[in-house]
Amino acid sequence: MLKPLGDRVILQAQEEEEQTVGGIVLASNAQEKPQTGKVIAVGSGRVLDNGDKVAPSVKEGDTVLFDKYAGTEVKYNGDSYLVVHEKDLVAIVD
């Protein structure tokens, strides 16, 4: 499995089938990018200028909201993941 470095977080985007009001299912390229994802792996945390390490505020299994154009998409073992910095996470969904 992938192990992120520093303050990076690996997410699996939660894609939903999008329909219009009339019930037409939109093609995947016409849909908006998902902004929620499940945390798959978390790095060890951010290192401050004075050398102290700040622990990440999310943990594996959390569902989070992230910035619309944040991160880098990667494919690993046939699955698609998104690698983002912790600062690009907006909220944890309960």
Side-chain angles (χ1 to χ4, degrees):
M1 187 58 193
L2 298 171
K3 181 158 174 61
L5 301 175
D7 70 334
R8 289 180 176 82
V9 177
I10 298 179
L11 304 173
Q12 191 163 35
Q14 296 177 342
E15 300 196 18
E16 302 163 3
E17 193 174 77
E18 195 170 324
Q19 290 187 353
T20 63
V21 176
I24 298 171
V25 177
L26 296 175
S28 62
N29 59 353
Q31 295 178 1
E32 288 193 25
K33 257 180 103 171
Q35 289 180 268
T36 60
K38 182 177 178 187
V39 177
I40 302 298
V42 181
S44 59
R46 181 171 49 104
V47 178
L48 300 176
D49 292 335
N50 64 4
D52 291 343
K53 189 175 278 193
V54 177
S57 55
V58 295
K59 61 186 180 309
E60 292 181 21
D62 284 347
T63 300
V64 295
L65 291 173
F66 54 89
D67 288 335
K68 192 168 197 167
Y69 298 105
T72 304
E73 291 185 25
V74 295
K75 290 200 183 275
Y76 181 75
N77 286 343
D79 292 324
S80 182
Y81 299 101
L82 186 66
V83 181
V84 299
H85 286 277
E86 187 180 21
K87 66 179 175 160
D88 295 327
L89 299 178
V90 178
I92 298 174
V93 179
D94 284 336

Coordinates of all heavy atoms in Angstrom, one line a residue:
M1 N 0.8 -1.2 0.0 CA 0.0 0.0 0.0 C 0.9 1.2 0.0 O 2.0 1.2 0.4 CB -0.9 0.0 1.2 CG -1.9 1.1 1.3 SD -3.0 1.0 -0.2 CE -3.8 2.5 -0.1
L2 N 0.3 2.3 -0.4 CA 1.0 3.6 -0.5 C 1.1 4.2 0.9 O 0.2 4.1 1.7 CB 0.3 4.6 -1.4 CG 0.1 4.2 -2.8 CD1 -0.8 5.2 -3.5 CD2 1.4 4.2 -3.5
K3 N 2.3 4.8 1.2 CA 2.5 5.5 2.5 C 2.9 6.9 2.2 O 4.0 7.1 1.7 CB 3.5 4.8 3.3 CG 3.7 5.4 4.7 CD 4.3 4.5 5.7 CE 4.7 5.1 7.0 NZ 3.6 5.7 7.7
P4 N 2.0 7.9 2.5 CA 2.3 9.3 2.2 C 3.4 9.8 3.2 O 3.6 9.4 4.3 CB 1.0 10.0 2.5 CG 0.3 9.1 3.4 CD 0.7 7.7 3.2
L5 N 4.2 10.8 2.7 CA 5.3 11.4 3.4 C 4.8 12.8 4.0 O 3.9 13.4 3.4 CB 6.5 11.7 2.5 CG 7.1 10.4 1.9 CD1 8.2 10.8 0.9 CD2 7.6 9.5 2.9
G6 N 5.4 13.2 5.1 CA 5.1 14.5 5.7 C 3.6 14.7 6.0 O 3.0 13.9 6.6
D7 N 3.1 15.8 5.5 CA 1.7 16.2 5.8 C 0.7 15.8 4.7 O -0.4 16.3 4.7 CB 1.6 17.7 6.1 CG 1.8 18.5 4.9 OD1 2.5 18.1 3.9 OD2 1.3 19.7 4.8
R8 N 1.1 14.9 3.9 CA 0.3 14.4 2.8 C -0.7 13.4 3.3 O -0.5 12.6 4.2 CB 1.1 13.9 1.7 CG 1.8 15.0 0.9 CD 2.7 14.4 -0.2 NE 3.3 15.4 -1.0 CZ 4.5 16.0 -0.6 NH1 5.1 15.6 0.5 NH2 5.0 16.9 -1.4
V9 N -1.9 13.3 2.6 CA -3.0 12.4 2.9 C -3.4 11.8 1.6 O -3.5 12.4 0.6 CB -4.1 13.2 3.6 CG1 -5.3 12.2 3.8 CG2 -3.7 13.9 4.8
I10 N -3.6 10.4 1.6 CA -4.1 9.7 0.5 C -5.6 9.5 0.6 O -6.1 9.0 1.6 CB -3.4 8.4 0.2 CG1 -1.9 8.7 0.0 CG2 -4.0 7.6 -0.9 CD1 -1.1 7.4 -0.2
L11 N -6.4 10.0 -0.4 CA -7.8 9.9 -0.4 C -8.3 9.0 -1.5 O -7.7 8.9 -2.6 CB -8.5 11.3 -0.5 CG -8.1 12.4 0.4 CD1 -8.7 13.7 0.0 CD2 -8.5 12.0 1.8
Q12 N -9.4 8.4 -1.3 CA -10.2 7.7 -2.4 C -11.4 8.5 -2.6 O -12.3 8.6 -1.7 CB -10.5 6.3 -2.0 CG -11.0 5.5 -3.2 CD -10.9 4.0 -2.9 OE1 -11.1 3.5 -1.8 NE2 -10.6 3.2 -4.0
A13 N -11.5 9.2 -3.7 CA -12.6 10.1 -4.0 C -13.9 9.3 -4.1 O -13.9 8.2 -4.6 CB -12.4 10.9 -5.3
Q14 N -15.0 9.8 -3.5 CA -16.3 9.2 -3.5 C -17.1 9.7 -4.6 O -17.6 10.8 -4.5 CB -17.0 9.3 -2.2 CG -16.2 8.7 -1.0 CD -16.9 8.9 0.3 OE1 -17.7 9.8 0.5 NE2 -16.5 8.1 1.3
E15 N -17.2 9.0 -5.7 CA -17.9 9.5 -6.9 C -19.3 9.0 -6.8 O -19.6 7.9 -6.4 CB -17.2 9.0 -8.2 CG -15.8 9.4 -8.3 CD -15.2 9.3 -9.6 OE1 -16.0 9.1 -10.6 OE2 -14.0 9.3 -9.7
E16 N -20.2 9.9 -7.2 CA -21.6 9.6 -7.2 C -22.2 9.8 -8.6 O -21.7 10.6 -9.3 CB -22.4 10.6 -6.2 CG -21.8 10.5 -4.8 CD -22.2 11.8 -4.0 OE1 -23.0 12.6 -4.5 OE2 -21.8 11.8 -2.8
E17 N -23.2 9.0 -8.9 CA -23.8 9.1 -10.2 C -24.7 10.4 -10.2 O -25.5 10.5 -9.3 CB -24.7 7.9 -10.5 CG -25.1 7.8 -11.9 CD -25.8 6.4 -12.1 OE1 -27.0 6.3 -11.8 OE2 -25.2 5.5 -12.7
E18 N -24.4 11.3 -11.1 CA -25.1 12.5 -11.1 C -26.2 12.5 -12.1 O -26.0 12.1 -13.3 CB -24.1 13.6 -11.5 CG -24.6 15.0 -11.1 CD -23.5 16.0 -11.3 OE1 -22.3 15.8 -11.0 OE2 -23.8 17.1 -11.7
Q19 N -27.4 12.9 -11.7 CA -28.6 13.0 -12.6 C -29.1 14.4 -12.6 O -29.0 15.2 -11.6 CB -29.7 12.1 -12.1 CG -29.4 10.6 -12.2 CD -30.6 9.8 -11.9 OE1 -31.6 10.2 -11.4 NE2 -30.5 8.5 -12.1
T20 N -29.7 14.8 -13.8 CA -30.3 16.1 -13.9 C -31.7 16.0 -13.3 O -32.2 14.9 -12.9 CB -30.5 16.5 -15.4 OG1 -31.3 15.5 -16.0 CG2 -29.1 16.5 -16.0
V21 N -32.4 17.1 -13.2 CA -33.8 17.1 -12.7 C -34.7 16.2 -13.5 O -35.6 15.5 -12.9 CB -34.3 18.5 -12.7 CG1 -35.8 18.6 -12.2 CG2 -33.5 19.4 -11.8
G22 N -34.5 16.1 -14.8 CA -35.3 15.2 -15.7 C -35.0 13.8 -15.6 O -35.6 12.9 -16.2
G23 N -34.0 13.4 -14.8 CA -33.6 12.0 -14.6 C -32.5 11.5 -15.6 O -32.2 10.3 -15.6
I24 N -31.9 12.4 -16.4 CA -30.9 12.0 -17.3 C -29.6 11.8 -16.6 O -29.2 12.7 -15.8 CB -30.7 13.1 -18.4 CG1 -32.0 13.2 -19.2 CG2 -29.6 12.7 -19.3 CD1 -32.0 14.4 -20.2
V25 N -28.9 10.7 -16.7 CA -27.6 10.4 -16.1 C -26.6 11.1 -17.0 O -26.5 10.8 -18.2 CB -27.4 8.9 -16.0 CG1 -26.0 8.6 -15.4 CG2 -28.5 8.2 -15.2
L26 N -25.7 11.9 -16.3 CA -24.7 12.6 -17.0 C -23.5 11.7 -17.2 O -23.1 10.9 -16.4 CB -24.3 13.8 -16.2 CG -25.3 14.9 -16.0 CD1 -24.8 16.0 -15.1 CD2 -25.7 15.5 -17.4
A27 N -22.8 11.9 -18.3 CA -21.5 11.2 -18.6 C -20.5 11.6 -17.6 O -20.5 12.7 -17.1 CB -21.1 11.5 -20.0
S28 N -19.5 10.8 -17.3 CA -18.5 11.1 -16.3 C -17.7 12.3 -16.6 O -17.3 13.1 -15.7 CB -17.6 9.9 -16.1 OG -16.9 9.6 -17.3
N29 N -17.5 12.6 -17.9 CA -16.7 13.8 -18.2 C -17.5 15.1 -18.1 O -17.0 16.2 -18.1 CB -16.1 13.7 -19.6 CG -17.1 13.5 -20.7 OD1 -18.3 13.3 -20.4 ND2 -16.7 13.5 -22.0
A30 N -18.8 15.0 -18.0 CA -19.7 16.2 -17.8 C -20.0 16.5 -16.4 O -20.5 17.5 -16.0 CB -21.0 16.0 -18.6
Q31 N -19.6 15.6 -15.5 CA -19.9 15.8 -14.1 C -18.8 16.6 -13.4 O -17.7 16.7 -13.9 CB -19.9 14.4 -13.3 CG -21.0 13.5 -13.8 CD -21.0 12.2 -13.1 OE1 -20.1 11.9 -12.3 NE2 -21.9 11.3 -13.4
E32 N -19.2 17.2 -12.3 CA -18.2 18.0 -11.5 C -17.3 17.0 -10.7 O -17.7 15.9 -10.4 CB -18.9 18.9 -10.5 CG -19.6 20.1 -11.2 CD -20.0 21.1 -10.2 OE1 -19.4 21.2 -9.1 OE2 -21.0 21.8 -10.5
K33 N -16.1 17.5 -10.5 CA -15.2 16.7 -9.7 C -15.7 16.5 -8.3 O -16.2 17.4 -7.7 CB -13.8 17.4 -9.6 CG -12.7 16.9 -10.4 CD -11.5 17.7 -10.2 CE -10.5 16.9 -9.4 NZ -9.2 17.5 -9.3
P34 N -15.6 15.3 -7.7 CA -16.1 15.1 -6.4 C -15.2 15.8 -5.4 O -14.0 16.0 -5.6 CB -15.9 13.5 -6.2 CG -14.9 13.1 -7.1 CD -15.0 14.0 -8.3
Q35 N -15.8 16.3 -4.3 CA -15.1 17.0 -3.3 C -15.1 16.3 -1.9 O -14.6 16.9 -1.0 CB -15.6 18.4 -3.1 CG -15.3 19.3 -4.3 CD -15.9 20.7 -4.1 OE1 -17.0 20.9 -4.5 NE2 -15.2 21.5 -3.5
T36 N -15.5 15.1 -1.9 CA -15.5 14.3 -0.7 C -14.7 13.0 -0.9 O -14.7 12.5 -2.1 CB -16.9 13.9 -0.1 OG1 -17.5 13.1 -1.1 CG2 -17.7 15.1 0.2
G37 N -14.0 12.6 0.1 CA -13.2 11.3 -0.1 C -13.0 10.7 1.3 O -13.1 11.3 2.3
K38 N -12.6 9.4 1.2 CA -12.3 8.6 2.4 C -10.8 8.6 2.5 O -10.1 8.3 1.6 CB -12.9 7.2 2.2 CG -12.6 6.3 3.4 CD -13.2 5.0 3.2 CE -13.0 4.1 4.5 NZ -13.4 2.8 4.3
V39 N -10.3 8.9 3.7 CA -8.9 8.9 4.0 C -8.4 7.4 4.0 O -8.9 6.6 4.8 CB -8.6 9.6 5.4 CG1 -7.1 9.5 5.7 CG2 -9.0 11.0 5.3
I40 N -7.4 7.1 3.2 CA -6.9 5.8 3.1 C -5.6 5.7 3.9 O -5.4 4.7 4.5 CB -6.6 5.4 1.6 CG1 -7.9 5.5 0.7 CG2 -5.9 4.1 1.4 CD1 -9.0 4.6 1.2
A41 N -4.7 6.7 3.8 CA -3.5 6.7 4.6 C -3.1 8.1 4.9 O -3.4 9.1 4.2 CB -2.4 6.1 3.7
V42 N -2.4 8.3 6.0 CA -2.0 9.6 6.5 C -0.5 9.6 6.8 O 0.1 8.7 7.3 CB -2.7 10.0 7.8 CG1 -2.3 11.3 8.3 CG2 -4.2 9.9 7.6
G43 N 0.2 10.7 6.4 CA 1.6 10.8 6.6 C 1.9 11.1 8.1 O 1.0 11.2 8.9
S44 N 3.2 11.2 8.5 CA 3.5 11.4 9.9 C 3.3 12.8 10.4 O 3.3 13.0 11.6 CB 5.0 11.0 10.0 OG 5.8 11.9 9.2
G45 N 3.1 13.8 9.6 CA 2.8 15.1 10.1 C 3.7 16.1 9.5 O 4.7 15.8 8.9
R46 N 3.4 17.4 9.7 CA 4.1 18.5 9.2 C 5.2 18.9 10.2 O 5.0 18.9 11.4 CB 3.2 19.7 9.0 CG 3.8 20.9 8.5 CD 2.8 22.0 8.1 NE 1.8 22.2 9.1 CZ 1.8 23.3 9.9 NH1 2.7 24.2 9.8 NH2 0.9 23.4 10.8
V47 N 6.4 19.2 9.7 CA 7.5 19.7 10.5 C 7.6 21.2 10.5 O 7.6 21.8 9.4 CB 8.9 19.1 10.0 CG1 10.0 19.6 10.9 CG2 8.8 17.6 10.1
L48 N 7.6 21.8 11.7 CA 7.6 23.3 11.8 C 9.1 23.7 11.6 O 10.0 22.9 11.6 CB 7.1 23.7 13.2 CG 5.7 23.3 13.5 CD1 5.3 23.8 14.9 CD2 4.7 24.0 12.5
D49 N 9.3 25.0 11.5 CA 10.6 25.6 11.3 C 11.5 25.3 12.4 O 12.7 25.2 12.2 CB 10.5 27.1 11.0 CG 9.8 27.5 9.7 OD1 9.8 26.6 8.8 OD2 9.2 28.6 9.6
N50 N 11.0 25.2 13.6 CA 11.8 25.0 14.8 C 12.1 23.5 15.0 O 12.8 23.1 16.0 CB 11.2 25.6 16.1 CG 9.9 24.9 16.4 OD1 9.5 24.0 15.8 ND2 9.3 25.5 17.5
G51 N 11.6 22.6 14.1 CA 11.9 21.2 14.2 C 10.8 20.4 14.8 O 10.9 19.1 14.8
D52 N 9.9 21.0 15.5 CA 8.8 20.3 16.1 C 7.9 19.7 15.0 O 7.7 20.2 13.9 CB 7.9 21.2 17.0 CG 8.7 21.6 18.2 OD1 9.7 21.0 18.6 OD2 8.3 22.6 18.9
K53 N 7.3 18.5 15.3 CA 6.4 17.9 14.4 C 4.9 18.0 14.9 O 4.6 17.8 16.0 CB 6.7 16.4 14.2 CG 5.9 15.7 13.1 CD 6.4 14.3 13.0 CE 7.6 14.3 12.1 NZ 8.0 13.0 11.6
V54 N 4.0 18.4 13.9 CA 2.6 18.6 14.3 C 1.9 17.4 13.7 O 2.0 17.1 12.5 CB 2.0 19.9 13.6 CG1 0.6 20.0 13.9 CG2 2.8 21.1 14.1
A55 N 1.2 16.7 14.6 CA 0.5 15.5 14.2 C -0.7 15.8 13.3 O -1.3 16.9 13.5 CB 0.0 14.7 15.4
P56 N -1.0 15.0 12.3 CA -2.2 15.2 11.4 C -3.5 15.2 12.2 O -3.6 14.5 13.2 CB -2.1 14.1 10.4 CG -1.0 13.2 10.8 CD -0.3 13.7 12.0
S57 N -4.4 16.0 11.8 CA -5.7 16.1 12.4 C -6.8 15.1 11.9 O -7.9 15.1 12.4 CB -6.3 17.5 12.4 OG -6.3 18.0 11.0
V58 N -6.4 14.4 10.9 CA -7.3 13.3 10.3 C -6.7 12.0 10.5 O -5.5 11.9 10.8 CB -7.6 13.6 8.8 CG1 -8.3 14.9 8.6 CG2 -6.3 13.5 8.0
K59 N -7.5 11.0 10.5 CA -7.0 9.6 10.6 C -7.6 8.7 9.5 O -8.6 9.1 8.9 CB -7.4 9.0 12.0 CG -8.8 9.0 12.3 CD -9.1 8.6 13.8 CE -10.5 8.5 14.1 NZ -11.4 9.6 13.8
E60 N -7.1 7.5 9.3 CA -7.6 6.6 8.3 C -9.0 6.3 8.6 O -9.4 6.1 9.8 CB -6.8 5.3 8.4 CG -5.3 5.5 7.9 CD -4.5 4.2 7.9 OE1 -5.1 3.1 7.9 OE2 -3.3 4.3 7.9
G61 N -9.8 6.3 7.6 CA -11.3 6.0 7.7 C -12.1 7.2 7.7 O -13.4 7.1 7.6
D62 N -11.6 8.4 8.0 CA -12.4 9.6 8.1 C -12.9 9.9 6.7 O -12.2 9.7 5.7 CB -11.5 10.8 8.5 CG -11.3 10.8 10.0 OD1 -12.0 10.0 10.7 OD2 -10.5 11.6 10.5
T63 N -14.0 10.5 6.6 CA -14.6 11.1 5.3 C -14.4 12.6 5.4 O -14.8 13.2 6.4 CB -16.1 10.8 5.2 OG1 -16.2 9.3 5.1 CG2 -16.6 11.3 3.8
V64 N -13.7 13.2 4.4 CA -13.3 14.6 4.4 C -13.8 15.3 3.2 O -14.0 14.7 2.1 CB -11.8 14.7 4.6 CG1 -11.3 14.2 5.9 CG2 -11.1 14.1 3.4
L65 N -13.9 16.6 3.3 CA -14.2 17.5 2.2 C -12.8 18.1 1.8 O -12.0 18.5 2.7 CB -15.1 18.7 2.6 CG -16.6 18.3 2.8 CD1 -17.3 19.5 3.4 CD2 -17.2 17.8 1.6
F66 N -12.5 18.3 0.5 CA -11.3 18.9 0.1 C -11.5 19.9 -1.0 O -12.6 19.9 -1.6 CB -10.3 17.8 -0.3 CG -10.8 16.9 -1.4 CD1 -10.6 17.2 -2.7 CD2 -11.4 15.7 -1.1 CE1 -11.1 16.4 -3.7 CE2 -11.9 14.8 -2.1 CZ -11.7 15.2 -3.4
D67 N -10.5 20.8 -1.2 CA -10.6 21.8 -2.2 C -10.8 21.2 -3.5 O -10.3 20.1 -3.8 CB -9.3 22.6 -2.2 CG -9.2 23.6 -1.0 OD1 -10.2 23.9 -0.4 OD2 -8.0 23.9 -0.7
K68 N -11.5 21.9 -4.4 CA -12.0 21.3 -5.7 C -10.8 20.9 -6.6 O -10.9 19.8 -7.2 CB -12.8 22.3 -6.4 CG -13.6 21.8 -7.6 CD -14.6 22.8 -8.1 CE -15.6 22.1 -9.0 NZ -16.7 22.9 -9.2
Y69 N -9.8 21.6 -6.7 CA -8.7 21.3 -7.6 C -7.4 20.9 -6.8 O -6.3 21.1 -7.3 CB -8.4 22.5 -8.5 CG -9.6 22.7 -9.4 CD1 -10.5 23.8 -9.2 CD2 -10.0 21.8 -10.4 CE1 -11.6 24.0 -9.9 CE2 -11.1 22.1 -11.2 CZ -11.9 23.2 -10.9 OH -13.0 23.4 -11.7
A70 N -7.6 20.4 -5.6 CA -6.4 20.0 -4.8 C -5.9 18.7 -5.2 O -6.6 17.8 -5.7 CB -6.8 20.0 -3.3
G71 N -4.6 18.5 -4.9 CA -3.9 17.2 -5.0 C -3.5 16.7 -6.4 O -3.7 17.4 -7.4
T72 N -2.9 15.5 -6.3 CA -2.4 14.9 -7.5 C -3.1 13.5 -7.6 O -3.1 12.7 -6.6 CB -0.9 14.7 -7.4 OG1 -0.3 15.9 -7.2 CG2 -0.3 14.0 -8.6
E73 N -3.7 13.2 -8.8 CA -4.3 11.9 -8.9 C -3.2 10.9 -9.3 O -2.4 11.1 -10.1 CB -5.3 12.0 -10.1 CG -6.6 12.8 -9.7 CD -7.6 12.7 -10.8 OE1 -7.7 11.8 -11.5 OE2 -8.4 13.7 -10.8
V74 N -3.3 9.7 -8.6 CA -2.4 8.6 -8.9 C -3.1 7.3 -9.1 O -4.2 7.2 -8.5 CB -1.3 8.5 -7.8 CG1 -0.4 9.7 -7.7 CG2 -1.9 8.2 -6.4
K75 N -2.6 6.4 -9.8 CA -3.2 5.1 -10.0 C -2.2 4.1 -9.4 O -1.0 4.1 -9.6 CB -3.5 4.8 -11.4 CG -4.6 5.6 -12.0 CD -5.1 4.9 -13.3 CE -6.2 5.8 -13.9 NZ -7.5 5.5 -13.3
Y76 N -2.8 3.2 -8.6 CA -1.9 2.2 -7.9 C -2.7 0.9 -7.8 O -3.9 0.9 -7.3 CB -1.5 2.6 -6.5 CG -0.7 1.7 -5.8 CD1 0.7 1.5 -6.1 CD2 -1.2 0.9 -4.7 CE1 1.5 0.6 -5.4 CE2 -0.4 0.0 -4.0 CZ 1.0 -0.1 -4.4 OH 1.8 -1.0 -3.7
N77 N -2.2 -0.2 -8.4 CA -2.9 -1.5 -8.4 C -4.3 -1.4 -9.0 O -5.2 -2.0 -8.5 CB -3.0 -2.1 -7.0 CG -1.6 -2.7 -6.6 OD1 -0.7 -2.9 -7.4 ND2 -1.5 -2.9 -5.3
G78 N -4.5 -0.6 -10.0 CA -5.7 -0.5 -10.7 C -6.7 0.5 -10.0 O -7.8 0.7 -10.6
D79 N -6.4 1.0 -8.9 CA -7.3 1.9 -8.2 C -6.8 3.3 -8.3 O -5.6 3.6 -8.5 CB -7.4 1.6 -6.7 CG -8.1 0.2 -6.4 OD1 -9.0 -0.1 -7.2 OD2 -7.7 -0.5 -5.5
S80 N -7.7 4.3 -8.3 CA -7.4 5.7 -8.4 C -7.4 6.4 -7.1 O -8.4 6.2 -6.3 CB -8.4 6.4 -9.4 OG -8.0 7.7 -9.6
Y81 N -6.4 7.1 -6.7 CA -6.3 7.8 -5.5 C -5.9 9.3 -5.7 O -5.5 9.6 -6.8 CB -5.2 7.2 -4.6 CG -5.4 5.7 -4.2 CD1 -4.8 4.7 -4.9 CD2 -6.3 5.4 -3.2 CE1 -5.0 3.4 -4.6 CE2 -6.6 4.1 -2.9 CZ -5.9 3.1 -3.6 OH -6.1 1.8 -3.3
L82 N -6.2 10.1 -4.7 CA -5.8 11.5 -4.7 C -4.9 11.8 -3.5 O -5.2 11.5 -2.4 CB -7.1 12.3 -4.6 CG -6.9 13.8 -4.7 CD1 -6.5 14.2 -6.2 CD2 -8.2 14.5 -4.4
V83 N -3.7 12.3 -3.8 CA -2.7 12.7 -2.8 C -2.8 14.2 -2.6 O -2.6 15.0 -3.5 CB -1.3 12.3 -3.2 CG1 -0.3 12.6 -2.1 CG2 -1.2 10.8 -3.5
V84 N -3.2 14.6 -1.4 CA -3.3 16.0 -1.0 C -2.5 16.4 0.2 O -2.2 15.5 1.0 CB -4.8 16.4 -0.8 CG1 -5.6 16.2 -2.0 CG2 -5.4 15.7 0.4
H85 N -2.2 17.6 0.3 CA -1.6 18.1 1.6 C -2.7 18.3 2.6 O -3.9 18.6 2.2 CB -0.9 19.5 1.4 CG 0.4 19.3 0.6 ND1 1.6 19.0 1.3 CD2 0.7 19.5 -0.7 CE1 2.6 19.0 0.4 NE2 2.1 19.3 -0.8
E86 N -2.4 18.2 3.9 CA -3.4 18.3 4.9 C -4.1 19.7 4.8 O -5.3 19.9 5.1 CB -2.8 18.1 6.3 CG -3.9 18.0 7.3 CD -3.3 17.8 8.7 OE1 -2.1 18.0 8.9 OE2 -4.1 17.4 9.6
K87 N -3.3 20.7 4.4 CA -3.9 22.1 4.4 C -5.0 22.2 3.3 O -5.8 23.2 3.4 CB -2.8 23.1 4.1 CG -2.2 23.0 2.7 CD -1.1 24.0 2.5 CE -0.5 23.6 1.2 NZ 0.1 24.5 0.4
D88 N -5.1 21.3 2.4 CA -6.1 21.3 1.3 C -7.4 20.7 1.8 O -8.4 20.7 1.1 CB -5.6 20.6 0.1 CG -4.5 21.3 -0.6 OD1 -4.4 22.6 -0.5 OD2 -3.6 20.7 -1.2
L89 N -7.4 20.1 3.0 CA -8.6 19.5 3.5 C -9.4 20.6 4.2 O -8.9 21.4 4.9 CB -8.3 18.4 4.5 CG -7.5 17.2 4.0 CD1 -7.2 16.2 5.1 CD2 -8.2 16.5 2.8
V90 N -10.7 20.6 3.9 CA -11.6 21.7 4.4 C -12.3 21.2 5.7 O -12.4 22.0 6.7 CB -12.6 22.1 3.4 CG1 -13.6 23.1 3.9 CG2 -11.9 22.5 2.1
A91 N -12.8 20.0 5.8 CA -13.6 19.6 6.9 C -13.7 18.1 7.0 O -13.4 17.4 6.0 CB -15.0 20.2 6.9
I92 N -14.0 17.6 8.2 CA -14.2 16.1 8.4 C -15.8 16.0 8.4 O -16.4 16.7 9.2 CB -13.6 15.6 9.7 CG1 -12.1 15.8 9.7 CG2 -14.0 14.2 10.0 CD1 -11.4 15.4 11.0
V93 N -16.3 15.0 7.6 CA -17.7 14.8 7.6 C -18.1 13.7 8.6 O -17.5 12.7 8.6 CB -18.2 14.3 6.2 CG1 -19.6 14.1 6.1 CG2 -17.7 15.3 5.1
D94 N -19.0 14.0 9.5 CA -19.4 13.1 10.6 C -20.4 12.1 10.0 O -21.3 12.4 9.3 CB -19.9 13.8 11.8 CG -18.8 14.4 12.6 OD1 -17.7 13.9 12.5 OD2 -19.1 15.3 13.4

